[in-house]
Amino acid sequence: MVMTEEGIAADRAAVPAPAPGGRARRPRRWTAEAGWAYLLIAPTGLGLAVFYLWPVLQTGYFSFTEWGPFGGHEWVGLDNYRALAADTEVRQALVNTLLFALLGLLGIPLAIVFAALLNRPKLRGVSVYRALFFIPVVTMPVAVAMVWRWLYNGDFGLVNQFLSVFGVEGPHWIADPATALYALVAVCIWAGLGYNIVVFLAGLQAIPREFYEAAEIDGAGPVAQFRRVTLPLLSPSIFFVSVLSVIGSLQLFDLVYVMAGSGQAARSNPAMPRIQTVVGLFYDKAFYTNDRGYAAAIVMALLVLIVVFTAIQFRLQKRWVHYG
Amino acid sequence: MWKAVRTGAAVMAAAVLAVTVAGCGADEPTAGADEKATLSYAVWDKNQVPVMEELAAAFTEDHPNITVEVQLTPWADYWTKLRAAVTGGAAPDVFWMNGPNVQLYADNGVIMPLADKVAEAKLDLGVYPKALVDLYTFEGKIYGLPKDFDTVGVWYNKELFDAAGVKHPAAGWTWDDFKAAAAKLSNPAKGQYAVGANIAGQEYFYNTIYQAGGNVISADGKKSGYDDPATIEGLRFWTDLIKNKQSPDLKTMTDTHPIQLFESGKLAMYWGGSWNVTEFGNNEYTKTRVDAAPLPTGVKQATIIHGLANVVSAKTKYPAQAWEFVKFLGSKPAAEILGKKGPIPAYTGTQDAWLAANAKFNGKVFLDAVSYAVPYPVSRNTAAWNDEEFKQLTKAYTGEVPVEQAAKELATQMNALLAKE
């Protein structure tokens, strides 16, 4: 997203920008400096290794064991994975999670539109709007979920009160299998909107005004400008946000956990099979039914899934992402 | 670090005691039980912390060398934290145990069997309700001394009963009486229902299953009872109420818990426990409008009884002192302290204090229920089939599948899980 003067000069000839190539030019030298660099990132690297990598490896190992509720495990080979492949509950959770990820992407065009509106040069009170959009991002997910739970309440919720003004009888949003998933997706998009807007705003502000001026001289209207200038130059931000959005959706847990109902109410929520996520299932197996080896297998499968999806996204980016 | 803190505290306490205790007489019965020690005592109910601390202080008065630290972990994290603590070798010396977990902990050798110590101290377990002693007995050995108990009854809204011209429920009423009353007390168009048929075992379907003559799990804990026709009748009791719109549907109860509906006058009855006295006694709406009645009788009379027990960690550094403390907590003087401010004490004959403290309601209902109470059904990994109960019964309660089919599927799944235990 950072534009150098040379970059702009090079791009000016042809919009959209040419294929990336700037990064490879930098020579590898100064080994002493590299040593310092390694030394300086060592604390973070060590923390990452101890608190992230090591647990991942351990979890990988535990996924091949049957793990007792109080530690102590027994090697069972591929048993957990065999059970996983045959488990319809896992399959359903997977479908739900993928739907969350897919529908969650709808938040991106929405964020672009809002960012573009907020980026208009003559808009007054921009910082107020930005703050308003950003508030959900810095609010605790549990608090967000609690408030939406009230809003969505079928009998006493504000959403249905509002609909009743128009004579529409709204459903029990998060307890009805037909609506629960969409109701939750809407909250996810709403909660992530502010963050995405900020990323897109930064992306938009990095696009030099000259491009628009040049486009205008060439006779491009606002729509053509948006399609030919804004979108291509925003594509690195779009890519970044979509990768994060997909990973975030695949790991979705807290919102569903809180919104599906508190404690036992969630377990008797008729919509539960339709909104149970992979991480939710993992939590259930690990901490509720004491089946931790199996839970480890579930998250390992999720890890593979996230890697695959991210790899696919990186693959596809070559076709549509333009680095300035 | 926590351990270091604990050791530090123990050392300090020991130092202080060494100075002050010099002249005390040694009147302790068990050898070693009077050595200096600081016991950790884990509990999950914030409301009971003051009375637990009072008990700890009373114990220290008799055993000046032993101090007890009451450690509160809220219910939501209690079992997760306890499992982690046990795995990491830092379990509390004495802690609260409940029915669904006791066998898991006993089977894995986490808690100490108390049978020998009970015999040695010549304790009479007959002072506790038999159902509770059974609940904490695993493979013939007792693992915990009962602390308190709770039974289930029907909380009813007197105002709504009077408005509908229905006689208040009383001892001796039957399923037929209940159903007749339910029909008169419901008005779905106004969002008014007789009762909330929640999927909750302890307060709801476990009771009716035993009232119908069925069972949740066989006496040896090896076989599911859900394919028993009588058990299915116990479940149908609830699915019929939903079908007849005498109970809100699951969607409504997911959004708004039945207790909230009851407290806003939308439900005429709420099946709840003796523990609800606090909630209903403090709530402005229910304070004056509700009272308790026994559960209706089906084929037979039954209510689920459950209660907590105090258990000793198998790895405690102070087994003698920890037992001494648990023995005290199970004693009559301790029960008398507990009854005034806490739940119903388990020690028979000490419940008057509890009745007096909750005189607003007909609390005797819950005490009388002990005579026909059934222990809370458990096995070694209760949580695993509890999860299955929710999954299968949700389908029956929404009407997605007939109740027989859901119950049979549940029996199959539960038997598979029991076989794995």
Side-chain angles (χ1 to χ4, degrees), chain B residues 44-238:
Chain B
W44 67 68
D45 184 358
K46 192 176 71 182
N47 298 325
Q48 287 189 48
V49 169
V51 66
M52 289 301 123
E53 276 167 352
E54 197 178 326
L55 286 168
F59 175 72
T60 305
E61 221 165 88
D62 284 350
H63 303 78
N65 281 356
I66 314 174
T67 24
V68 178
E69 264 175 38
V70 178
Q71 297 173 343
L72 173 73
T73 309
W75 169 255
D77 305 317
Y78 185 83
W79 298 104
T80 316
K81 187 177 163 191
L82 190 56
R83 272 203 298 260
V86 169
T87 311
D93 300 304
V94 178
F95 51 94
W96 282 9
M97 178 50 66
N98 71 359
N101 282 290
V102 64
Q103 296 195 13
L104 185 74
Y105 279 70
D107 192 32
N108 284 285
V110 175
I111 51 177
M112 195 185 278
L114 302 178
D116 296 346
K117 291 184 162 27
V118 166
E120 205 177 295
K122 299 201 178 65
L123 288 191
D124 176 17
L125 294 177
V127 299
Y128 310 114
K130 185 177 176 300
L132 284 188
V133 175
D134 289 350
L135 190 63
Y136 290 100
T137 302
F138 177 65
E139 292 180 342
K141 284 188 198 142
I142 184 119
Y143 277 81
L145 287 193
K147 163 186 171 290
D148 55 33
F149 75 79
D150 48 66
T151 57
V152 180
V154 175
W155 288 95
Y156 65 96
N157 186 324
K158 292 181 273 189
E159 228 174 61
L160 295 181
F161 268 73
D162 292 341
V166 181
K167 211 173 77 180
H168 292 191
W173 74 320
T174 64
W175 275 23
D176 288 336
D177 297 333
F178 177 85
K179 286 174 184 169
K184 284 192 206 147
L185 291 161
S186 307
N187 187 350
K190 279 192 184 165
Q192 197 76 39
Y193 298 93
V195 67
N198 209 9
I199 303 191
Q202 187 176 7
E203 299 101 304
Y204 293 87
F205 61 89
Y206 285 173
N207 296 287
T208 50
I209 284 172
Y210 288 98
Q211 284 160 11
N215 68 92
V216 172
I217 189 165
S218 61
D220 60 0
K222 298 248 189 288
K223 204 183 147 295
S224 167
Y226 278 108
D227 44 7
D228 181 334
T231 303
I232 295 171
E233 284 318 301
L235 293 171
R236 201 193 308 279
F237 183 93
W238 299 109

Side-chain angles (χ1 to χ4, degrees), chain A residues 39-285:
Chain A
L39 193 72
L40 289 173
I41 61 166
T44 313
L46 211 66
L48 205 66
V50 171
F51 294 111
Y52 287 85
L53 285 177
W54 177 236
V56 168
L57 292 177
Q58 271 183 312
T59 308
Y61 169 73
F62 287 136
S63 71
F64 296 101
T65 65
E66 194 174 318
W67 195 11
F70 305 102
H73 47 268
E74 196 186 322
W75 183 264
V76 293
L78 285 171
D79 276 10
N80 286 328
Y81 288 97
R82 252 176 244 131
L84 194 71
D87 194 337
T88 51
E89 212 181 349
V90 170
R91 217 167 300 158
Q92 182 66 47
L94 207 60
V95 170
N96 298 341
T97 307
L98 292 179
L99 266 173
F100 273 120
L102 197 70
L103 293 171
L105 288 176
L106 291 176
I108 293 176
L110 209 61
I112 294 176
V113 170
F114 279 111
L117 290 175
L118 286 176
N119 196 36
R120 282 188 312 169
K122 280 177 208 137
L123 186 70
R124 295 171 74 181
V126 175
S127 44
V128 174
Y129 288 119
R130 279 183 210 168
L132 283 179
F133 279 111
F134 205 69
I135 283 173
V137 182
V138 292
T139 310
M140 298 286 287
V142 172
V144 165
M146 293 288 286
V147 171
W148 276 96
R149 227 181 107 68
W150 294 331
L151 293 175
Y152 275 147
N153 186 303
D155 301 293
F156 314 107
L158 270 183
V159 173
N160 282 359
Q161 294 287 328
F162 175 74
L163 288 177
S164 70
V165 173
F166 305 99
V168 179
E169 202 185 320
H172 288 89
W173 293 96
I174 45 174
D176 192 325
T179 56
L181 184 93
Y182 305 103
L184 285 171
V185 166
V187 179
C188 290
I189 290 177
W190 173 83
L193 199 59
Y195 181 79
N196 295 348
I197 288 175
V198 167
V199 173
F200 288 133
L201 262 178
L204 285 173
Q205 281 164 1
I207 302 174
R209 293 237 45 89
E210 298 95 273
F211 289 3
Y212 293 103
E213 283 157 17
E216 216 170 307
I217 290 167
D218 288 345
V223 176
Q225 282 181 27
F226 184 76
R227 277 192 50 205
R228 301 277 172 185
V229 181
T230 311
L231 272 187
L233 289 175
L234 204 56
S235 58
S237 313
I238 299 177
F239 174 66
F240 172 74
V241 167
S242 70
V243 169
L244 282 195
S245 160
V246 168
I247 293 179
S249 300
L250 291 177
Q251 294 179 336
L252 186 61
F253 170 67
D254 42 13
L255 265 180
V256 180
Y257 182 74
V258 180
M259 282 187 70
S262 45
Q264 298 209 325
R267 300 190 173 275
S268 53
N269 182 344
M272 204 57 202
R274 302 294 292 276
I275 52 175
Q276 179 70 287
T277 63
V278 175
V279 180
L281 202 62
F282 155 77
Y283 179 86
D284 255 18
K285 299 289 179 201

Side-chain angles (χ1 to χ4, degrees), chain A residues 89 153-154 267 288 290 292, chain B residues 83 255-256 381 383 387 391:
Chain A
E89 212 181 349
N153 186 303
R267 300 190 173 275
Y288 190 74
N290 301 322
R292 296 193 178 180
Chain B
R83 272 203 298 260
D255 276 355
T256 318
N381 193 1
D387 188 45
K391 271 181 213 148

